[in-house]
Amino acid sequence: MRRNTSILLLAVGHACVDIYQGAVAALIPFFVAERDYTYAVASGIVLAASLLSSVAQPVFGALTDRWAMPWLLPVSTLLGGVGIALSGLSGAYGLTLFFVAVSGIGVAAYHPESARVARLASEGSHSAMSWFSLGGNIGFACAPLMVAAAIGHGSLHWTPVLVLPALAGAALCVPVLRMLARTPTGHAEAQAPRSADDVASFVKLSLAVVFRSIVFTGLSTFISLYAQQRLHGSTTAGTTALFLLFLGGALGSVLGGSLANRYDRVRVSRWSYLLSIAAVTGVIYTPGPAMLLFVALTSAGLYVPFSLQVTLGQDYLPSRIGTASGVTLGLTVSIGGLISPLLGHLADTTDLQTALAPLIAMPALSWLVFRALPEPTAPGTRTATLTPATARHDG
Protein backbone atom coordinates (compact mmCIF):
# COMPACT_ATOMS: atom_id res chain seq x y z
CA MET A 1 0.00 0.00 0.00
CA ARG A 2 2.89 2.35 0.78
CA ARG A 3 4.34 1.75 -2.70
CA ASN A 4 0.97 2.34 -4.33
CA THR A 5 0.49 5.58 -2.41
CA SER A 6 3.92 6.85 -3.39
CA ILE A 7 3.43 6.02 -7.06
CA LEU A 8 -0.01 7.65 -7.03
CA LEU A 9 1.33 10.88 -5.56
CA LEU A 10 4.29 10.86 -7.96
CA ALA A 11 1.96 10.25 -10.90
CA VAL A 12 -0.26 13.20 -9.94
CA GLY A 13 2.82 15.38 -9.48
CA HIS A 14 4.08 14.24 -12.88
CA ALA A 15 0.74 15.30 -14.35
CA CYS A 16 1.09 18.76 -12.84
CA VAL A 17 4.53 19.20 -14.43
CA ASP A 18 3.68 17.80 -17.85
CA ILE A 19 0.77 20.20 -18.13
CA TYR A 20 3.45 22.78 -18.93
CA GLN A 21 4.90 20.68 -21.73
CA GLY A 22 1.47 20.35 -23.27
CA ALA A 23 0.68 24.01 -22.59
CA VAL A 24 3.43 25.18 -24.95
CA ALA A 25 1.80 23.45 -27.91
CA ALA A 26 -1.69 24.45 -26.73
CA LEU A 27 -0.68 28.12 -26.63
CA ILE A 28 0.59 28.13 -30.24
CA PRO A 29 -2.81 28.82 -31.90
CA PHE A 30 -3.41 31.70 -29.47
CA PHE A 31 -0.02 33.22 -30.21
CA VAL A 32 -0.73 32.91 -33.95
CA ALA A 33 -4.20 34.46 -33.62
CA GLU A 34 -3.39 37.22 -31.13
CA ARG A 35 0.09 38.21 -32.28
CA ASP A 36 -0.03 37.28 -35.98
CA TYR A 37 2.97 34.96 -35.73
CA THR A 38 3.96 32.91 -38.78
CA TYR A 39 4.30 29.12 -38.46
CA ALA A 40 8.09 29.41 -38.23
CA VAL A 41 7.97 32.15 -35.59
CA ALA A 42 5.36 30.28 -33.55
CA SER A 43 7.35 27.05 -33.68
CA GLY A 44 10.31 29.02 -32.32
CA ILE A 45 8.42 29.11 -29.02
CA VAL A 46 8.46 25.31 -28.95
CA LEU A 47 12.16 25.50 -29.75
CA ALA A 48 12.73 27.80 -26.77
CA ALA A 49 11.06 25.28 -24.46
CA SER A 50 13.05 22.42 -25.96
CA LEU A 51 16.52 23.77 -26.65
CA LEU A 52 17.69 24.31 -23.08
CA SER A 53 15.66 21.32 -21.91
CA SER A 54 17.37 18.95 -24.35
CA VAL A 55 20.79 19.99 -23.05
CA ALA A 56 19.83 20.36 -19.40
CA GLN A 57 18.06 17.06 -18.80
CA PRO A 58 21.11 14.82 -19.27
CA VAL A 59 23.12 17.28 -17.14
CA PHE A 60 20.59 17.06 -14.32
CA GLY A 61 20.56 13.29 -14.80
CA ALA A 62 24.33 13.12 -14.35
CA LEU A 63 24.06 15.27 -11.22
CA THR A 64 21.43 12.98 -9.70
CA ASP A 65 23.73 10.02 -10.32
CA ARG A 66 26.27 11.65 -8.03
CA TRP A 67 23.94 13.30 -5.51
CA ALA A 68 20.29 12.61 -4.82
CA MET A 69 18.42 15.91 -5.04
CA PRO A 70 14.80 15.30 -4.05
CA TRP A 71 14.32 19.03 -3.46
CA LEU A 72 14.44 19.42 -7.25
CA LEU A 73 10.95 17.95 -7.53
CA PRO A 74 9.02 20.82 -5.86
CA VAL A 75 11.44 23.54 -7.04
CA SER A 76 11.41 22.45 -10.68
CA THR A 77 7.63 22.05 -10.62
CA LEU A 78 7.25 25.67 -9.54
CA LEU A 79 9.77 26.84 -12.13
CA GLY A 80 7.88 25.10 -14.92
CA GLY A 81 4.61 26.71 -13.89
CA VAL A 82 5.94 30.22 -13.34
CA GLY A 83 7.55 30.31 -16.79
CA ILE A 84 4.30 29.45 -18.58
CA ALA A 85 2.31 31.76 -16.31
CA LEU A 86 4.46 34.73 -17.35
CA SER A 87 4.75 33.82 -21.06
CA GLY A 88 1.55 35.61 -22.10
CA LEU A 89 2.06 38.84 -20.19
CA SER A 90 4.47 40.56 -22.55
CA GLY A 91 3.93 41.12 -26.24
CA ALA A 92 7.70 41.14 -26.78
CA TYR A 93 8.74 37.98 -28.60
CA GLY A 94 12.09 37.86 -26.80
CA LEU A 95 10.48 37.88 -23.37
CA THR A 96 8.00 35.23 -24.44
CA LEU A 97 10.88 33.00 -25.51
CA PHE A 98 12.68 33.68 -22.23
CA PHE A 99 9.74 32.74 -20.03
CA VAL A 100 8.99 29.61 -22.06
CA ALA A 101 12.68 28.67 -21.77
CA VAL A 102 12.48 29.11 -17.98
CA SER A 103 9.58 26.68 -17.97
CA GLY A 104 11.61 24.27 -20.10
CA ILE A 105 14.48 24.34 -17.61
CA GLY A 106 12.05 23.54 -14.81
CA VAL A 107 10.74 20.56 -16.76
CA ALA A 108 14.32 19.49 -17.50
CA ALA A 109 15.26 19.54 -13.83
CA TYR A 110 12.16 17.58 -12.83
CA HIS A 111 12.27 14.51 -15.03
CA PRO A 112 15.59 12.77 -14.25
CA GLU A 113 15.15 13.09 -10.49
CA SER A 114 11.46 12.14 -10.60
CA ALA A 115 12.29 9.05 -12.70
CA ARG A 116 14.94 8.07 -10.14
CA VAL A 117 12.50 8.51 -7.26
CA ALA A 118 9.75 6.66 -9.18
CA ARG A 119 12.16 3.78 -9.86
CA LEU A 120 12.90 3.68 -6.13
CA ALA A 121 9.21 3.74 -5.20
CA SER A 122 8.20 1.20 -7.87
CA GLU A 123 10.87 -1.32 -6.79
CA GLY A 124 11.58 -2.08 -10.46
CA SER A 125 7.96 -2.79 -11.45
CA HIS A 126 7.15 -2.08 -15.12
CA SER A 127 3.48 -1.59 -14.29
CA ALA A 128 4.24 0.88 -11.51
CA MET A 129 6.49 2.87 -13.84
CA SER A 130 3.74 2.87 -16.46
CA TRP A 131 1.38 4.44 -13.93
CA PHE A 132 3.99 7.09 -13.19
CA SER A 133 4.21 7.78 -16.94
CA LEU A 134 0.41 7.81 -17.12
CA GLY A 135 0.42 10.84 -14.83
CA GLY A 136 2.50 12.74 -17.35
CA ASN A 137 0.20 11.67 -20.18
CA ILE A 138 -2.84 12.95 -18.29
CA GLY A 139 -1.04 16.24 -17.72
CA PHE A 140 -0.39 16.50 -21.46
CA ALA A 141 -4.03 15.70 -22.19
CA CYS A 142 -5.34 18.27 -19.73
CA ALA A 143 -3.07 21.04 -21.02
CA PRO A 144 -5.16 22.14 -24.04
CA LEU A 145 -8.33 22.03 -21.94
CA MET A 146 -6.76 24.12 -19.18
CA VAL A 147 -5.31 26.60 -21.66
CA ALA A 148 -8.66 26.89 -23.45
CA ALA A 149 -10.48 27.35 -20.14
CA ALA A 150 -8.00 29.96 -18.91
CA ILE A 151 -7.59 32.11 -22.03
CA GLY A 152 -9.94 30.71 -24.66
CA HIS A 153 -12.50 33.48 -24.14
CA GLY A 154 -10.08 36.17 -23.07
CA SER A 155 -6.51 36.91 -23.99
CA LEU A 156 -2.98 35.74 -23.29
CA HIS A 157 -2.93 38.04 -20.27
CA TRP A 158 -4.81 35.28 -18.42
CA THR A 159 -1.81 32.90 -18.49
CA PRO A 160 -0.95 33.57 -14.79
CA VAL A 161 -3.94 31.35 -13.94
CA LEU A 162 -1.92 28.45 -15.30
CA VAL A 163 0.46 28.54 -12.31
CA LEU A 164 -2.15 26.72 -10.16
CA PRO A 165 -1.16 23.14 -11.17
CA ALA A 166 2.45 23.92 -10.26
CA LEU A 167 1.42 24.97 -6.77
CA ALA A 168 -0.54 21.74 -6.33
CA GLY A 169 2.26 19.59 -7.77
CA ALA A 170 4.90 21.13 -5.51
CA ALA A 171 2.74 20.46 -2.47
CA LEU A 172 2.26 16.80 -3.46
CA CYS A 173 6.03 16.23 -3.66
CA VAL A 174 6.57 16.82 0.03
CA PRO A 175 4.66 13.86 1.57
CA VAL A 176 5.96 11.29 -0.91
CA LEU A 177 9.58 12.28 -0.31
CA ARG A 178 9.06 12.11 3.44
CA MET A 179 7.36 8.73 3.07
CA LEU A 180 10.17 7.22 1.02
CA ALA A 181 12.87 8.66 3.27
CA ARG A 182 11.38 6.77 6.23
CA THR A 183 11.28 3.36 4.50
CA PRO A 184 14.12 0.82 4.32
CA THR A 185 14.07 1.03 0.51
CA GLY A 186 15.05 4.65 0.86
CA HIS A 187 18.60 3.66 1.77
CA ALA A 188 21.29 3.21 -0.83
CA GLU A 189 22.19 -0.16 -2.32
CA ALA A 190 25.43 -0.95 -4.07
CA GLN A 191 25.81 0.82 -7.37
CA ALA A 192 26.13 -1.41 -10.44
CA PRO A 193 29.66 -1.54 -11.84
CA ARG A 194 30.28 0.34 -15.05
CA SER A 195 31.24 -2.95 -16.70
CA ALA A 196 27.55 -3.89 -16.48
CA ASP A 197 26.61 -1.01 -18.79
CA ASP A 198 25.56 -1.85 -22.36
CA VAL A 199 26.51 1.49 -23.87
CA ALA A 200 25.98 0.39 -27.49
CA SER A 201 22.38 -0.65 -26.83
CA PHE A 202 21.77 2.51 -24.84
CA VAL A 203 22.96 4.67 -27.75
CA LYS A 204 20.69 2.77 -30.16
CA LEU A 205 17.75 3.18 -27.77
CA SER A 206 18.46 6.90 -27.55
CA LEU A 207 18.21 7.17 -31.34
CA ALA A 208 14.81 5.49 -31.25
CA VAL A 209 13.72 7.95 -28.56
CA VAL A 210 14.87 10.88 -30.73
CA PHE A 211 12.89 9.63 -33.75
CA ARG A 212 9.79 9.22 -31.57
CA SER A 213 10.31 12.67 -30.14
CA ILE A 214 10.43 14.26 -33.59
CA VAL A 215 7.11 12.82 -34.75
CA PHE A 216 5.30 13.46 -31.47
CA THR A 217 6.53 17.02 -30.98
CA GLY A 218 5.97 17.85 -34.65
CA LEU A 219 2.37 16.69 -34.44
CA SER A 220 1.73 18.33 -31.07
CA THR A 221 3.04 21.65 -32.39
CA PHE A 222 0.92 21.76 -35.54
CA ILE A 223 -1.99 19.34 -35.05
CA SER A 224 -4.32 22.07 -33.77
CA LEU A 225 -3.76 24.26 -36.82
CA TYR A 226 -3.84 21.25 -39.17
CA ALA A 227 -7.12 19.97 -37.71
CA GLN A 228 -8.68 23.40 -38.14
CA GLN A 229 -7.72 23.33 -41.81
CA ARG A 230 -8.76 19.72 -42.49
CA LEU A 231 -12.05 19.88 -40.60
CA HIS A 232 -12.91 23.45 -41.62
CA GLY A 233 -13.65 24.18 -37.98
CA SER A 234 -12.93 26.71 -35.27
CA THR A 235 -10.31 26.48 -32.58
CA THR A 236 -12.55 23.81 -30.99
CA ALA A 237 -11.53 21.34 -33.71
CA GLY A 238 -7.88 22.04 -33.01
CA THR A 239 -8.30 21.70 -29.25
CA THR A 240 -10.10 18.37 -29.75
CA ALA A 241 -7.31 17.00 -31.94
CA LEU A 242 -4.61 18.07 -29.48
CA PHE A 243 -6.59 16.63 -26.57
CA LEU A 244 -6.88 13.27 -28.37
CA LEU A 245 -3.18 13.29 -29.23
CA PHE A 246 -2.33 13.71 -25.56
CA LEU A 247 -5.15 11.55 -24.11
CA GLY A 248 -4.30 8.51 -26.21
CA GLY A 249 -1.02 8.43 -24.40
CA ALA A 250 -2.84 7.53 -21.17
CA LEU A 251 -4.10 4.30 -22.71
CA GLY A 252 -0.78 3.64 -24.40
CA SER A 253 1.29 3.96 -21.22
CA VAL A 254 -0.87 1.61 -19.15
CA LEU A 255 -1.13 -0.85 -22.04
CA GLY A 256 2.63 -0.77 -22.49
CA GLY A 257 3.29 -1.70 -18.87
CA SER A 258 0.71 -4.50 -19.00
CA LEU A 259 2.04 -5.97 -22.24
CA ALA A 260 5.63 -5.78 -20.96
CA ASN A 261 4.66 -8.04 -18.06
CA ARG A 262 3.52 -10.66 -20.59
CA TYR A 263 5.98 -10.10 -23.43
CA ASP A 264 9.39 -8.46 -23.40
CA ARG A 265 9.71 -4.68 -23.67
CA VAL A 266 11.64 -4.66 -26.94
CA ARG A 267 9.03 -6.77 -28.74
CA VAL A 268 6.13 -4.65 -27.47
CA SER A 269 7.92 -1.47 -28.57
CA ARG A 270 8.49 -2.86 -32.07
CA TRP A 271 4.80 -3.67 -32.41
CA SER A 272 3.78 -0.21 -31.28
CA TYR A 273 6.06 1.56 -33.74
CA LEU A 274 4.67 -0.54 -36.62
CA LEU A 275 1.17 0.61 -35.62
CA SER A 276 2.39 4.20 -35.45
CA ILE A 277 3.59 4.18 -39.07
CA ALA A 278 0.06 3.51 -40.31
CA ALA A 279 -1.54 5.81 -37.73
CA VAL A 280 0.62 8.86 -38.59
CA THR A 281 -0.11 8.27 -42.29
CA GLY A 282 -3.82 8.33 -41.47
CA VAL A 283 -3.52 11.58 -39.52
CA ILE A 284 -1.90 13.36 -42.44
CA TYR A 285 -3.92 12.01 -45.36
CA THR A 286 -7.33 10.89 -44.04
CA PRO A 287 -10.04 13.52 -44.75
CA GLY A 288 -12.87 14.49 -42.46
CA PRO A 289 -13.59 13.51 -38.85
CA ALA A 290 -11.95 10.08 -39.36
CA MET A 291 -8.67 11.95 -38.98
CA LEU A 292 -9.38 12.23 -35.25
CA LEU A 293 -9.47 8.43 -34.91
CA PHE A 294 -5.98 8.22 -36.38
CA VAL A 295 -4.82 10.96 -33.99
CA ALA A 296 -5.86 8.77 -31.04
CA LEU A 297 -4.23 5.67 -32.58
CA THR A 298 -1.02 7.63 -33.18
CA SER A 299 -0.92 8.73 -29.57
CA ALA A 300 -1.48 5.20 -28.27
CA GLY A 301 1.15 3.78 -30.62
CA LEU A 302 3.76 6.34 -29.64
CA TYR A 303 3.09 6.03 -25.91
CA VAL A 304 3.13 2.24 -25.52
CA PRO A 305 6.97 2.35 -25.56
CA PHE A 306 7.17 5.50 -23.43
CA SER A 307 7.75 4.05 -19.95
CA LEU A 308 9.31 0.90 -21.44
CA GLN A 309 12.07 3.01 -22.99
CA VAL A 310 12.78 4.63 -19.63
CA THR A 311 13.25 1.29 -17.83
CA LEU A 312 15.18 -0.15 -20.78
CA GLY A 313 17.56 2.79 -20.63
CA GLN A 314 18.00 2.29 -16.90
CA ASP A 315 18.73 -1.42 -17.43
CA TYR A 316 21.17 -0.78 -20.28
CA LEU A 317 22.98 1.79 -18.11
CA PRO A 318 22.53 0.50 -14.53
CA SER A 319 25.52 2.42 -13.16
CA ARG A 320 24.03 5.74 -14.32
CA ILE A 321 20.29 5.58 -13.63
CA GLY A 322 19.91 9.37 -13.56
CA THR A 323 21.75 9.89 -16.83
CA ALA A 324 19.72 7.14 -18.50
CA SER A 325 16.50 8.75 -17.25
CA GLY A 326 17.59 12.21 -18.34
CA VAL A 327 18.28 11.00 -21.88
CA THR A 328 15.36 8.62 -22.46
CA LEU A 329 12.72 10.54 -20.56
CA GLY A 330 14.15 13.97 -21.34
CA LEU A 331 14.89 13.61 -25.04
CA THR A 332 11.39 12.24 -25.54
CA VAL A 333 9.96 15.67 -24.85
CA SER A 334 12.74 17.99 -25.96
CA ILE A 335 14.75 17.01 -29.02
CA GLY A 336 11.66 17.05 -31.23
CA GLY A 337 11.28 20.73 -30.47
CA LEU A 338 14.58 21.40 -32.22
CA ILE A 339 13.03 20.14 -35.48
CA SER A 340 9.78 22.10 -35.16
CA PRO A 341 11.15 25.36 -36.67
CA LEU A 342 12.27 23.40 -39.75
CA LEU A 343 8.76 22.00 -40.11
CA GLY A 344 7.35 25.49 -39.59
CA HIS A 345 9.60 26.94 -42.30
CA LEU A 346 8.58 24.15 -44.68
CA ALA A 347 4.91 24.81 -43.89
CA ASP A 348 5.36 28.53 -44.61
CA THR A 349 6.93 27.80 -48.01
CA THR A 350 4.57 24.94 -48.98
CA ASP A 351 1.66 23.85 -46.76
CA LEU A 352 1.13 22.02 -43.49
CA GLN A 353 0.39 18.65 -45.09
CA THR A 354 3.66 18.70 -47.01
CA ALA A 355 5.55 19.75 -43.88
CA LEU A 356 4.05 16.95 -41.77
CA ALA A 357 4.50 14.17 -44.35
CA PRO A 358 8.18 13.43 -43.41
CA LEU A 359 7.00 12.55 -39.89
CA ILE A 360 5.73 9.22 -41.24
CA ALA A 361 9.33 8.04 -41.53
CA MET A 362 10.12 8.63 -37.86
CA PRO A 363 8.29 5.64 -36.27
CA ALA A 364 9.65 3.49 -39.10
CA LEU A 365 13.19 4.46 -38.07
CA SER A 366 12.40 3.71 -34.41
CA TRP A 367 11.09 0.29 -35.47
CA LEU A 368 14.31 -0.43 -37.34
CA VAL A 369 16.39 0.52 -34.31
CA PHE A 370 14.37 -1.72 -32.00
CA ARG A 371 14.99 -4.66 -34.30
CA ALA A 372 18.65 -4.41 -33.27
CA LEU A 373 18.04 -4.09 -29.51
CA PRO A 374 18.27 -6.95 -26.99
CA GLU A 375 15.97 -7.40 -24.02
CA PRO A 376 18.05 -7.12 -20.82
CA THR A 377 18.12 -10.54 -19.18
CA ALA A 378 18.26 -9.19 -15.63
CA PRO A 379 16.53 -5.78 -15.39
CA GLY A 380 18.24 -3.56 -12.84
CA THR A 381 16.44 -2.64 -9.68
CA ARG A 382 19.07 -0.38 -8.28
CA THR A 383 17.76 2.19 -5.89
CA ALA A 384 19.34 5.28 -4.49
CA THR A 385 19.08 7.22 -1.32
CA LEU A 386 16.91 10.23 -0.90
CA THR A 387 19.53 11.98 1.18
CA PRO A 388 22.51 13.63 -0.51
CA ALA A 389 24.92 12.60 2.23
CA THR A 390 24.50 8.88 1.53
CA ALA A 391 23.94 9.13 -2.22
CA ARG A 392 27.31 10.46 -3.31
CA HIS A 393 29.24 8.17 -5.64
CA ASP A 394 32.88 8.23 -6.66
CA GLY A 395 33.41 9.10 -10.34
Side-chain angles (χ1 to χ4, degrees), residues 117-314:
V117 173
R119 178 80 165 191
L120 172 65
S122 69
E123 301 173 3
S125 167
H126 300 323
S127 295
M129 285 297 289
S130 73
W131 284 103
F132 169 70
S133 297
L134 172 64
N137 306 148
I138 292 176
F140 261 103
C142 290
L145 302 181
M146 293 196 65
V147 169
I151 64 176
H153 300 289
S155 72
L156 289 168
H157 292 294
W158 282 93
T159 55
V161 175
L162 297 174
V163 78
L164 295 177
L167 299 177
L172 287 172
C173 291
V174 177
V176 68
L177 295 179
R178 287 179 176 173
M179 183 185 302
L180 290 176
R182 291 195 299 266
T183 63
T185 58
H187 298 288
E189 296 179 0
Q191 183 183 11
R194 292 196 184 191
S195 59
D197 292 344
D198 185 351
V199 177
S201 292
F202 181 76
V203 170
K204 293 175 184 177
L205 175 69
S206 299
L207 287 175
V209 171
V210 168
F211 296 139
R212 179 208 175 274
S213 172
I214 290 172
V215 62
F216 185 81
T217 307
L219 287 176
S220 65
T221 301
F222 296 110
I223 194 65
S224 291
L225 298 170
Y226 190 59
Q228 291 176 37
Q229 292 181 5
R230 298 287 284 178
L231 301 180
H232 307 289
S234 63
T235 56
T236 301
T239 299
T240 300
L242 190 60
F243 176 70
L244 288 174
L245 180 66
F246 294 164
L247 183 65
L251 173 63
S253 289
V254 175
L255 182 61
S258 177
L259 290 174
N261 288 332
R262 184 172 181 179
Y263 309 98
D264 64 71
R265 291 167 289 178
V266 171
R267 186 185 309 177
V268 171
S269 297
R270 284 203 301 260
W271 292 343
S272 68
Y273 281 125
L274 274 178
L275 168 66
S276 299
I277 298 170
V280 174
T281 303
V283 170
I284 296 172
Y285 292 108
T286 300
M291 167 197 175
L292 298 176
L293 171 63
F294 285 102
V295 171
L297 288 175
T298 294
S299 181
L302 292 176
Y303 265 106
V304 163
F306 186 82
S307 64
L308 306 185
Q309 290 171 159
V310 176
T311 59
L312 277 170
Q314 292 171 337

Side-chain angles (χ1 to χ4, degrees), residues 107-123:
V107 169
Y110 175 84
H111 280 97
E113 181 67 3
S114 67
R116 184 191 69 82
V117 173
R119 178 80 165 191
L120 172 65
S122 69
E123 301 173 3

